[in-house]
Each structure stands twice: as structure tokens, then as C-alpha cells.
Amino acid sequence: MRKVFRSGEGMGIRLDSASAFPGAVISPHYDSLLVKVIASGKDMSTAAAKMHRALSEFRVRGVKTNIPFLQNVLSNHQFLHSTVDTQFIDENQNLFVMKPVQNRAQKLLHYLGHVMVNGPTTPIPVKAKPSSIDPVIPTVPMGDPSLGFRDVLLREGPEGFAKAVRAHPGLLLMDTTFRDAHQSLLATRVRTHDLKKIAPYVSHNFNNLFSLENWGGATFDVAMRFLYECPWKRLQELRTLVPNVPFQMLLRGANAVGYTNYPDNAVFKFCEVAKENGMDIFRVFDSLNYLPNMILGMEAAGRAGGVVEAAISYTGDVSDPMRQKYSLAYYVKLTEELMKAGTHVLCIKDMAGLLKPESSRILISALRDRYPDVPIHVHTHDTAGAGVAAMLACAEAGADVVDVAVDSMAGMTSQPSMGAMVACTKGTKLDTDCRRQQQNEEDEEVLDEREKMTNMKCLRWLSPLSPPHSPPSQVLKSLPRIEGRPGATLPPLDFDALEAGLRLLHGDDITEEDVMSAAMYPKVFQEYKEFTGSFGPVDCLSTRLFLDGPKIAEEFQVEIERGKTLHIKALAVGDLNKTGQRGVFFELNGQLRSVLVKDNVAMKEMKFHPKALKSVRGQVGAPMPGKVIEVKVEPGQKVEKGQPLCVLSAMKMETVVNSPLTGVVTVIHVNTDNSLEGDDLILEITAEE
Ligand code: MN
């Protein structure tokens, strides 16, 4: 069924049935090639369908084909259902609008080649390599996980959910491992690829959590900016894997998940789309407790149908009578406002880890006394090491939920340890009912695996990272002051116009979620789309391959979609060619493939700088390799023999290059900071007659 002829000999492939032509491969060794495909069927549409399939299964590499055009013709309504004359093509110019070819495999090879030649694409300021050990993924029992609080929420709505939480006898936990823990310890670099692997285990074994915090804050930004993955896809995929535990996100009040001010309709739409994608609980805060910003975020979350958790940012020390600004009265007053605004859950958000046991007792008992029906949820960071003690004090004073992280991701700037909270409350009236994970050895082993899963690939070498630079850290003194809530005066965002613009730039597969990503982070989204446009779905790669690329001779598999797996073997990295590129060779599904990758380091060094010709008088070259520190002359300047022309730094010493003759400088070939090889041309002098 497959035949390849030389061009000019003529060629025909006759297709009697579409199934007779799976994955035809045409050799690219011919400059031009004529391939004839004939499909027949009982009617036009059957024949066209067969032809469409035959064309879609062609794999022609290295030469351009008119297959996309022919596929457009085969999808054209007029072509399929009415008569067509010679004007057909002229009248249907949209036949020339080709869908971009996906070619995901080739793009991924390009990515891997790029990493093999140039190192990680994600900024990593440490030299350590990611672990080469593949973690053992704990197994989960067949069937659905046990019911959780999400089932209560879906059945009874936010108010019923809040009642159930309040009525729950023991202490409830929110696990921050998927969000704040790795935001605090690993610069938010844990990838969806790894979260997905552990998610079924979490769903089956942690079904009694209040919630799983997995989104918002920096995760939204970093997913696109550094991990080149879609934050919405993370939410969708985790939702499928964890149907029973509520998902919780952090919403920066009127700033949603961004750092800037958005028009109000953007915040409302954002919450709506987040809820549609599986978000349940919205912790709404403003770091300055600016009520108008908080109330807007609460309205947006509430209108989307989410659980509203208004969070008071805690600072100061309520147990210190000398500190009057952020006193108990301040927090009580603020709580009153948030209760009036209709929060379902009240949160104390101790973002700096300032809560001590005594202040916890004072604050939580005061709020508990005034508002016996509202669930109280406390968030802290274990920065000072007092997190467990403070959270215990909160729970004893009447808090319903506290935030913890899995042990290996707990402590330091992260949340207090889940294991410690579970152990400290065991057998008391606050029992977290997380005994199953702690009781028998086998379970502990599994828990250990979970810990490894979340941190093993990243913790070792990413932990010295400082959090990504964020604009919330700059003092923007020069910006004009805005009176009132900024979003209130901004014109509404035109989602249709934004979507149309994105389609123009990135093609037709722009989703509602993409529009929201672009609304929140326009530039980050643009760069993310460009990156994945060139390098393909890098989120399919394992974390080690993503960060470090494969070793030579390593064989591995990449599942680019369900049931579609690439078998890849890294063969070799070629020598540097004259244009600063290297060929990287792979075997892809048994076929040899190569990509050409720019060697960034070599390109920098390869200045392609002209050499000073010794035979030409007046061409001054570098006496040794070095860096240009100063050029002391200008074009047109007269110079004497022996006059300093240029200062080079070489081997930590400065070398002055003097003029070998008297004359006029005609051309200067270097700039300050240029790195030069020996004999690289510095400048040219015309001798004075
Ligand atoms: Mn936090």
C-alpha cells in the first residue's frame, strides 16, 4: 500500500479503503515529490471522509506539503454539498488559512535538545542536580474514595457546609502542601505532573480534611511563568482525581490572583470560571485589611457560588497591652464588618507567623464568644517554630480548622507539621481523626512515600531558592495615589475583544480559561503561549526530564495525551558547528530524529569577530584573549605611535594596547565589555603619509 517514486517517474497511491493506509511515511530524500491519493466511497461524503483520514495520517518531514490546504478543501461545505466551479478557490480564500501543525513530538525533542545543550529553562540559582530516583507511587484501593466535606458542600451549599464544619466534634485540618507549603519552601516550583501522581492517594487517605489548598497566590503565576503549564489545567486535573475533598484557593481581594488592580468585572468573572473549574472555598484577603477590596472579592466568590472565607491579616500582638494599633478591639471590629458582609467562614491569616499561644487564646476566644456559629479557620507559618503550639492554643480556644502541611513540607517558613498536630490532639476532644495514617506501619510507610513524592525531586536542589521576585516587594513611590478602591474607577474589561485578540495571536484553541489567564497576567500568558508554541507540551515530561533533560542513551516514555505515548531515546549531542549550533540526535518511536539547537554559551563566546590581518598595516588586534575595559580613542581621531588605544583585562591583569603607528583611527570594532580572542580586530588606523 505504500510506494515511493522519484519525482518525474510519476507516482500513485490508490486507496481502496481508508483503513489500508495507516501512518504512511514518505522519505524526505527527494527535493520534490508528487503523491497521488485516490479515495472512493459510495457517496461524496464517504469518499471525502476516507480521504481526510488518509491525509491526516501522512507523515512527511522535511518538506512542505499542501496537505493542510487539501484538508481545508475536504472540510468545505460548498465542496462537499454543492457544485464547484473553477472560481471555487478564488472565492474561498479561507482555504489558505492553515491550522498550525501540532507536531508535538518534534517540539518536545527540540525542548529536550535545548535543555541538554543549554541547561534548565527554569531559573535555578544552584548547581545541584535533581534526584535521579523515581519515587514509588503509593497504590490506592480500587473504587471511589470515601465521602468527604466536598460531598457535604455539594449537597448542602456553603451555608450547610459551614454548619457541618461548626458541628464537627474534632479539629479539622487544611492541608497546604499543594499551595502554600511549596510556595514557602520551594518557590512554588512543584509541578502538576507530580501533584497528579499523589492526588489519588490524598483523595483516598485524607478524605476527612476540611480542604486541600492548591491554587491561587503565586501558583497561578509561577505555573505559566516558570513551569510552562496551564494553571487551569492543574485545577481541572486535580479535581478529577480528588472529587471528595474541598479545594481552597487564596484570592487577593480585588486583585484576584494578580498583583495589580483589575476592573471589577474581571474579578467576578475570574471567580466564576474558577468555581466552574472545581474551586470550592475562596479565602479572600487584603494584606492591609482594606475592607472595600475584601468585600469586592467576597462578593465575587459568593456570587460564583463558592464558600466565602474572609481572612483577617494578623499583625502585631494582641497579648501585649502596649501595642495599641492592632489590638483585640481592632480585630473584633474588623470581624464585625466581615460578618456583616456575609462571610461563611472567618479566617485569621497570620502570614508572618506572629501568633503565640497566649495571643491565640485571647483572640480566638474573643471571636468565638461573639460569633458562636461561624467556623473559625486559622492560618500561620511556622517561621518561629511555635506554629504547633499556637495552633493547638487556637483549637482549644474554639477554632474549627487550622492549616498544616505534610511533615516533609512543614516547618520553617511553611505551615506547622500535620503529623505533630495529629499526634498532639490524638485521644483528646480535638482528635483530628487522622489516626489511620498514623497507626500502622504500612500506612506510615505510605505517608512517607507521599512526603517523598511532594518534595524529593525538588526539595534537594530548589530549597535554597528565594521566592520569585514579585512586584507586591517594590515600593512604588513614584506612582500616582488613587483615592478609593482602584477597580471601581476602571472601565470594565471587554472579554470578547480580549478573546478575539488572543485568537489572532495564538490560534483558535483559546479557551475561556485562557482569556482569564491573559486578563490576570497578559505578558506572562503571552510568553507562556510562545514558549509552548515552540517547545510543545513540556508539562507531559517528568520533572527530571523537564529540568535536566535525558542522559545520553537513556530511554524514556512521554505520554502526550491519554493513550498516545512517545518512546524516546537520547542518542548524542553533536559538535559545535560554525554557526554556534549543535545537532542533538534522538530515536523517536524507532525512527532517527535530530534537532539543531543554538548553544547559548558558545554563541555568546563566538563573536564571529574579524581577525586582525598581520599583512595589513594599521589593523590592530588583541595581543591575548581578554575583555575590553576601555576604548580610549574615537573614529577620526589622530593618534601617535605608542599612544594607548584600548585597555584589555586578561588573566585578572590589565593590558594597554598601544598604537603601532602614527595615523588616523578609521574604524573601531569593539565596545566596552566585549570578550576577545587573541588577534581579534580591535580597530583600524590609516597611516599618516
Ligand atoms: Mn501563607
Side-chain angles (χ1 to χ4, degrees), residues 176 179-181 183-184 213 250 283 349-352 379-381 403 413 415:
T176 68
R179 203 284 293 181
D180 204 355
Q183 184 169 323
S184 299
E213 190 193 36
L250 193 60
R283 176 178 284 174
K349 184 176 185 299
D350 173 24
M351 57 225 262
H379 174 76
T380 191
H381 287 255
D403 289 357
T413 54
Q415 274 64 56

Side-chain angles (χ1 to χ4, degrees), residues 541-561:
L541 297 168
S542 76
T543 298
R544 184 174 59 79
L545 290 171
F546 169 72
L547 292 169
D548 211 24
K551 296 180 187 67
I552 297 298
E554 184 181 344
E555 290 180 57
F556 52 93
Q557 300 180 354
V558 181
E559 192 178 28
I560 50 173
E561 65 184 68

